[in-house]
Amino acid sequence: MSAPDLTRASAVAAAEAIRAGALSSEALVSACLQRIAETDGAIRAWAHLDPEAALAQAREADRLRKAGRATGALHGVPVGLKDIVDTRDMPTELGTAIFAGRQPEMDATLVERLREAGAVIMGKTKTTELAFVHPTDTTNPHDATRTPGGSSSGSAAAVAACHVPLAVGTQTNGSVIRPASFCGTYGFKPSRGIISRQGLLQTSVSLDQVGVFARHIEDAALLADVIGSYDQRDPASLPRPRPAMLAGATAEAPVEPDLAWFDLPHHDRLSPDAREGLEQVIEALGPRVERYGAAPELADLVRVQGIIHEYEICQHLAETFAAHWDRISATLQPVITRGRAISQAQYEDALAVKASAESFFAAFGRDYDAILAPSAAGEAPLLAAGGTGDPIFCTIWTLAGLPCLSLPLLVGENDLPIGVQLIGAAEQDDRLLRTASWLQRQLGQTDEKES
Amino acid sequence: MSAPDLTRASAVAAAEAIRAGALSSEALVSACLQRIAETDGAIRAWAHLDPEAALAQAREADRLRKAGRATGALHGVPVGLKDIVDTRDMPTELGTAIFAGRQPEMDATLVERLREAGAVIMGKTKTTELAFVHPTDTTNPHDATRTPGGSSSGSAAAVAACHVPLAVGTQTNGSVIRPASFCGTYGFKPSRGIISRQGLLQTSVSLDQVGVFARHIEDAALLADVIGSYDQRDPASLPRPRPAMLAGATAEAPVEPDLAWFDLPHHDRLSPDAREGLEQVIEALGPRVERYGAAPELADLVRVQGIIHEYEICQHLAETFAAHWDRISATLQPVITRGRAISQAQYEDALAVKASAESFFAAFGRDYDAILAPSAAGEAPLLAAGGTGDPIFCTIWTLAGLPCLSLPLLVGENDLPIGVQLIGAAEQDDRLLRTASWLQRQLGQTDEKES
């Protein structure tokens, strides 16, 4: 492969080639670094990048392999990390000048898992302020006048721009699925509790979840396999086996899957091109999709997510907001002010609704392999519109902790990508991935065309 | 399989049968509990056993499988843990009344890995006092008048007695390999740094290493695969990929391996039956074994290990020794008194010799697939002799952090097991296991006969 091709390689293929000695990690990382150097002036995906440090890791991966030492599942493959994931050898600045130069002493648990898998920690990708509403300066690789989405803005943009084959993000509302949709990558947020949040900025203990970006479904699955682990320091972490993600993504469905679609009140926010594309998907799948009516009890979950999110961020970051209020953006300040006004009783009511929603979806998951849904309202909005796009198409599923996957299947009226979302049953991420691979075959799409 | 057979099943086969729905974890754990009830009155392998708690874990493993949830590599398979491995739901008493009733709040890292793999934490196995010299009351399952070895006494005895297919121990000198030899099980201590020691009693930060007991070589490899992980809270933990243990144990050697044998001064302690058995093995392997002379520089490493071990335990457990000196055994007291007299300069000299030994073996490992050596002086000594047997045949290899495996290949004059030890190059545990499987085939042995 020539250097330009290397940056488009899938992580699965690159790891295999590196393990086989057909490709060096140094060549792969060099090609990625060159691509970053060429394009990141406009995209601004990276918050911290030290090319020499990345190359040193790549050379060490190559040295180990040549010495006959063990190679890992992501041996020599570069991975970007949202800049709220602590790294002991790189700053972690949380998207705000308040934490400029912040240098953690310890790696996040998911970084331990990446090092154990032989991955190259490429650098830190830009996040919105404290992983919430105020945008960073990252642009959409498909159109520099548009947002890449948020809050995992840099991770989505870096993968879309072929800076890295893989990146890690987080989602408390719609921060993986939405930027994946806007940037035309896969975005996969596994079930809550699969991936440890130890060593990540905590904005909502009940809602924060880790997800991944990739240009191939198998790559997203492999990265989730690698970084998923039980970690008793994360109260949501599940003390039991995890679904086998890559095996799920590459499995054949034993029978044709059954999908459900909910017509939800917020669907009136869909752009015409997104609506049309989704209707075509539903039509193409025919009897495989069962359509449900407006379901107002689901719509109320959007409000419930907001209460929990805003109440908890005010609790978790109380000290930061108190000490640095003047350095909090004008976008975030009113949200925090609103959050501070939420009573404990309102919050506890919201948690109770969340629990009942989880029970509802647990029962629902017995009858359906996945829920089909929009990933976002449409193409990436213009930067001039402010913000990072509307997360509402993700809110309910994040609240319930369900595994969510955005597939880059549609193209909008400006030739920009629009994702299609599949949502699985809790802890049945493997079944979700299997269903997603089936869906792609069904629609005559393969992820090769996306890379 | 009838209940008595279940207790003899290999962990690999049991996990496979459980995943396939052909065996329930509850049936397996019940059979093991029954065997414990029948035989542990004489063996005394268990420090803590709560049959209902073990059965509850087994039923949960079965429930997850039946619900179509993910199953792990050790799904539903019971594992015993040396009672210096912290468990948040069982006491961890460190083999001394000083810590009677001690209840950790957190699991050791390796216990997290076991829960993630779906294993049933069967209970805690007896250890010598603070995992050092003073014996516990566990007896050898092959002969109740003999020691099971130490310090991982209960783990070795429990596996040998078919109480569990798998158990975890630790080795600072010879505490995995020696009891495995005496009890006729496999004992595998991977390279230093493969398995985290976070949440284990620390007796020597430089020397403490985790190992496993099993009745089949594949089982030992599988357990090491499961519990090996990078953990930055353990200063010796390796931030890179781990050898694939089970793949190594089941691989064919690409060419006939080359083994080395050192004639060491302490070999004069070998019993005649052990000496004869080992000479027969060397003879059977013919040109595959290269024999090296007395190598006094290796013999000096025994003294060096003692300095580091005794100096460090006095540092790590200074408070315990100061506060509870009258409750320290008469066996351990003189060792601690000796350790306290070691100067920092002596200790630092010893660390320097250790480092040079590691360099020596790193170079040596390029020419040989494994070192062949005794596991112990011979059959398990009589309890009446006091102590837990001589660890000297393990000392050098432990000091250098090399992967060590004891294979139950020989039988002594009293029909009791005697192990043969293979030592690999650092972090080439997979090659060691491959060589061990080759050795067994070469000698016409399979581990089936041991179970």
Side-chain angles (χ1 to χ4, degrees):
Chain A
M1 289 188 270
S2 67
D5 287 330
L6 283 183
T7 67
R8 307 184 88 84
S10 82
V12 168
E16 203 173 290
I18 289 170
R19 280 197 299 271
L23 171 65
S24 74
S25 173
E26 185 174 5
L28 174 61
V29 170
S30 295
C32 289
L33 286 169
Q34 190 183 332
R35 181 140 179 100
I36 294 172
E38 287 163 4
T39 63
D40 205 46
I43 298 172
R44 297 187 284 272
W46 296 89
H48 178 84
L49 187 80
D50 179 344
E52 274 315 308
L55 284 168
Q57 294 175 66
R59 290 186 197 112
E60 173 66 4
D62 290 334
R63 187 191 69 77
L64 290 171
R65 188 199 62 76
K66 285 183 200 156
R69 293 299 181 85
T71 53
L74 286 175
H75 205 84
V77 176
V79 179
L81 299 176
K82 184 176 184 175
D83 202 29
I84 66 164
V85 177
D86 279 355
T87 42
R88 60 154 195 257
D89 49 4
M90 299 176 193
T92 306
E93 299 180 326
L94 319 178
T96 166
I98 298 169
F99 292 107
R102 177 177 171 275
Q103 177 54 62
E105 286 178 16
M106 300 280 277
D107 283 332
T109 297
L110 75 85
V111 178
E112 284 186 330
R113 296 288 80 76
L114 286 169
R115 296 194 198 274
E116 184 178 305
V120 170
I121 310 298
M122 190 69 148
K124 311 302 284 287
T125 59
K126 286 193 180 168
T127 170
T128 61
E129 177 192 29
L130 297 167
F132 210 173
V133 287
H134 187 68
T136 182
D137 63 352
T138 307
T139 65
N140 191 305
H142 297 275
D143 180 344
T145 69
R146 294 179 186 259
T147 179
S151 62
S152 309
S153 317
S155 285
V159 168
C162 296
H163 293 178
V164 274
L166 299 169
V168 174
T170 60
Q171 172 156 312
T172 310
N173 188 356
S175 291
V176 169
I177 297 301
R178 173 166 101 268
S181 179
F182 291 166
C183 292
T185 72
Y186 291 86
F188 176 37
K189 183 206 72 58
S191 299
R192 180 173 51 228
I194 297 286
I195 302 171
S196 169
R197 305 168 301 177
Q198 171 69 27
L200 275 65
L201 171 68
Q202 184 177 68
T203 73
S204 169
V205 67
S206 301
L207 300 173
D208 291 343
Q209 290 158 65
V210 181
V212 301
F213 297 91
R215 295 188 302 273
H216 302 267
I217 193 168
E218 292 86 354
D219 287 5
L222 174 60
L223 180 53
D225 271 333
V226 163
I227 65 176
S229 71
Y230 168 49
D231 181 355
Q232 62 198 313
R233 291 170 297 167
D234 176 349
S237 187
L238 300 164
R240 52 180 173 264
R242 276 139 179 72
M245 307 294 186
L246 184 55
T250 54
E252 291 284 332
V255 294
E256 297 241 291
D258 290 315
L259 306 179
W261 168 276
F262 290 97
D263 284 310
L264 291 164
H266 56 257
H267 285 190
D268 59 11
R269 304 190 198 176
L270 280 172
S271 65
D273 52 355
R275 183 187 307 277
E276 188 188 341
L278 287 159
E279 292 291 352
Q280 284 172 359
V281 169
I282 293 170
E283 193 178 337
L285 297 173
R288 302 263 56 80
V289 181
E290 183 147 355
R291 196 154 185 160
Y292 286 83
E297 67 273 37
L298 293 190
D300 186 49
L301 298 178
V302 172
R303 185 187 60 81
V304 163
Q305 189 278 344
I307 290 170
I308 297 171
H309 190 176
E310 293 173 7
Y311 181 89
E312 289 187 348
I313 195 171
C314 290
Q315 300 287 321
H316 301 328
L317 299 180
E319 276 183 43
T320 299
F321 295 140
H324 304 284
W325 186 251
D326 56 328
R327 300 171 77 187
I328 301 295
S329 70
T331 323
L332 183 53
Q333 280 186 352
V335 180
I336 300 311
T337 301
R338 191 168 65 208
R340 285 169 170 166
I342 297 168
S343 70
Q344 193 175 337
Q346 286 174 296
Y347 168 62
E348 285 171 4
D349 285 349
L351 287 181
V353 177
K354 169 176 173 285
S356 69
E358 286 163 7
S359 300
F360 169 79
F361 287 118
F364 196 82
R366 284 196 281 273
D367 295 327
Y368 293 93
D369 293 284
I371 296 165
L372 181 71
S375 294
E379 292 178 327
L382 291 166
L383 291 170
T388 56
D390 189 346
I392 197 169
F393 297 89
C394 309
T395 308
I396 293 173
W397 327 117
T398 306
L399 177 76
L402 304 176
C404 306
L405 178 70
S406 183
L407 300 93
L409 296 180
L410 305 177
V411 176
E413 59 180 0
N414 300 296
D415 267 344
L416 294 172
I418 297 177
V420 171
Q421 188 172 193
L422 285 181
I423 300 103
E427 293 185 63
Q428 302 200 21
D429 306 50
D430 45 355
R431 185 175 162 209
L432 170 66
L433 290 159
R434 188 182 71 196
T435 304
S437 293
W438 169 87
L439 177 70
Q440 295 199 134
R441 287 193 301 272
Q442 219 39 36
L443 301 176
Q445 301 250 8
T446 67
D447 55 6
E448 267 70 29
K449 73 172 268 295
E450 310 300 331
S451 70
Chain B
M1 289 187 269
S2 67
D5 287 328
L6 282 183
T7 67
R8 308 183 88 84
S10 82
V12 167
E16 203 173 291
I18 288 170
R19 280 196 299 268
L23 171 67
S24 74
S25 174
E26 185 174 4
L28 174 61
V29 170
S30 295
C32 289
L33 287 169
Q34 190 182 332
R35 181 140 179 102
I36 294 172
E38 288 163 5
T39 63
D40 205 46
I43 298 172
R44 298 186 284 272
W46 296 90
H48 177 83
L49 187 80
D50 178 344
E52 274 314 308
L55 284 168
Q57 295 174 65
R59 290 186 198 112
E60 173 66 4
D62 290 333
R63 187 191 68 77
L64 290 171
R65 186 199 63 75
K66 284 182 199 157
R69 294 298 181 84
T71 52
L74 286 175
H75 205 83
V77 176
V79 179
L81 299 176
K82 185 177 184 175
D83 201 28
I84 67 164
V85 178
D86 279 356
T87 41
R88 60 155 195 257
D89 50 3
M90 299 176 192
T92 306
E93 299 180 324
L94 317 179
T96 166
I98 296 169
F99 292 106
R102 176 177 171 274
Q103 177 55 62
E105 287 178 17
M106 298 280 278
D107 283 332
T109 296
L110 75 85
V111 177
E112 284 186 330
R113 297 287 80 76
L114 286 169
R115 296 194 198 274
E116 184 178 306
V120 170
I121 310 298
M122 191 68 148
K124 311 302 284 287
T125 59
K126 287 192 179 170
T127 170
T128 61
E129 177 193 29
L130 297 166
F132 209 175
V133 287
H134 187 68
T136 182
D137 63 352
T138 308
T139 64
N140 191 305
H142 297 274
D143 179 344
T145 69
R146 294 178 186 260
T147 179
S151 61
S152 308
S153 315
S155 285
V159 169
C162 296
H163 293 176
V164 274
L166 299 170
V168 174
T170 60
Q171 172 155 315
T172 309
N173 187 356
S175 291
V176 168
I177 298 301
R178 172 165 102 270
S181 179
F182 291 167
C183 292
T185 73
Y186 290 86
F188 176 37
K189 183 206 71 58
S191 299
R192 180 174 48 228
I194 297 285
I195 303 171
S196 168
R197 305 168 302 177
Q198 172 69 25
L200 275 66
L201 171 68
Q202 184 177 67
T203 72
S204 169
V205 67
S206 302
L207 301 172
D208 291 344
Q209 289 157 66
V210 181
V212 300
F213 297 89
R215 295 188 302 273
H216 303 266
I217 193 168
E218 291 86 356
D219 287 4
L222 174 60
L223 179 54
D225 271 332
V226 164
I227 66 176
S229 72
Y230 168 49
D231 181 355
Q232 63 198 313
R233 290 170 298 168
D234 176 350
S237 188
L238 300 164
R240 51 181 174 263
R242 276 135 180 75
M245 306 294 184
L246 184 55
T250 53
E252 292 283 332
V255 294
E256 298 243 291
D258 290 315
L259 306 179
W261 168 276
F262 291 97
D263 284 310
L264 291 164
H266 57 257
H267 285 189
D268 60 10
R269 302 189 198 178
L270 280 171
S271 64
D273 51 356
R275 182 186 306 278
E276 188 188 340
L278 287 160
E279 291 293 351
Q280 285 172 358
V281 169
I282 293 170
E283 193 178 335
L285 297 173
R288 302 263 56 82
V289 182
E290 183 147 353
R291 195 154 186 159
Y292 286 84
E297 68 274 36
L298 294 192
D300 187 49
L301 297 178
V302 172
R303 185 187 61 80
V304 163
Q305 188 278 345
I307 290 171
I308 296 170
H309 190 175
E310 292 173 7
Y311 181 88
E312 289 187 349
I313 195 172
C314 290
Q315 301 287 321
H316 301 328
L317 299 180
E319 275 183 44
T320 300
F321 295 141
H324 303 285
W325 185 251
D326 57 329
R327 300 171 77 186
I328 301 295
S329 70
T331 323
L332 183 52
Q333 280 187 352
V335 179
I336 301 311
T337 302
R338 192 168 66 208
R340 285 169 169 166
I342 297 167
S343 71
Q344 192 175 338
Q346 286 175 297
Y347 168 63
E348 285 170 5
D349 285 351
L351 286 181
V353 176
K354 169 176 173 286
S356 69
E358 286 163 6
S359 301
F360 169 78
F361 286 118
F364 196 82
R366 284 197 280 273
D367 295 328
Y368 294 94
D369 293 283
I371 296 165
L372 181 71
S375 294
E379 293 177 326
L382 291 166
L383 291 170
T388 56
D390 189 347
I392 197 168
F393 297 89
C394 308
T395 308
I396 293 172
W397 327 118
T398 306
L399 176 76
L402 304 176
C404 305
L405 178 71
S406 183
L407 300 94
L409 296 179
L410 305 177
V411 176
E413 59 179 1
N414 300 295
D415 268 344
L416 295 172
I418 297 177
V420 171
Q421 189 172 191
L422 285 181
I423 300 102
E427 293 185 63
Q428 302 201 20
D429 306 51
D430 45 356
R431 184 175 163 209
L432 169 66
L433 289 160
R434 187 181 74 196
T435 304
S437 293
W438 169 88
L439 176 70
Q440 293 200 134
R441 288 192 300 273
Q442 235 12 57
L443 301 176
Q445 300 250 8
T446 67
D447 56 5
E448 267 69 30
K449 74 172 268 297
E450 311 301 330
S451 70

